[in-house]
């Protein structure tokens, strides 16, 4: 099904990730005075559309609470825009 009305090649995606940190990372973070978590998690939503026969545009928004697996780190929100050209 198309996501954007009148745009049959539009696509929506949702991604969830979890990355575990090593014991060495946690030990190093503690030496630096940080309080590390066992893992870092995040979610991403993206919307893409094919603009022509060779051009695709994709925008995405990423949310990462406690980035880097550090408990005191402020949550991060990152947006991106990708232009793909096939030739």
């Amino acid at each position: 099904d198309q996501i954007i009305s009148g745009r049959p090649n539009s696509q929506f995606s949702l991604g969830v990730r979890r990355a575990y940190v090593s014991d060495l990372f946690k030990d190093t973070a503690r030496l630096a005075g940080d309080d590390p978590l066992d893992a870092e998690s995040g979610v991403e939503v993206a919307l893409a559309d094919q603009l022509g026969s060779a051009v695709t545009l994709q925008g995405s928004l990423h949310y990462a609470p406690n980035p880097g697996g550090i408990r005191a780190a402020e949550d991060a929100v990152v947006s991106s825009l990708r232009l793909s050209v096939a030739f």
Side-chain angles (χ1 to χ4, degrees):
D1 291 336
Q2 65 189 33
I3 298 301
I4 302 171
S5 179
R7 305 296 303 179
N9 294 320
S10 59
Q11 299 176 356
F12 173 80
S13 63
L14 173 68
V16 178
R17 65 175 172 75
R18 184 154 177 92
Y20 293 91
V21 297
S22 70
D23 290 336
L24 178 59
F25 171 85
K26 290 186 277 189
D27 291 343
T28 303
R30 286 187 193 100
L31 286 173
D34 292 321
D35 184 16
L37 299 167
D38 289 331
E40 176 189 74
S41 300
V43 64
E44 173 189 1
V45 293
L47 180 63
D49 191 25
Q50 188 171 347
L51 303 179
S53 62
V55 179
T56 302
L57 189 63
Q58 177 182 327
S60 64
L61 189 64
H62 307 255
Y63 171 68
N66 308 108
I70 301 298
R71 193 177 313 275
E74 291 186 30
D75 296 355
V77 177
V78 178
S79 62
S80 64
L81 185 63
R82 178 185 315 170
L83 177 68
S84 299
V85 179
F87 51 93

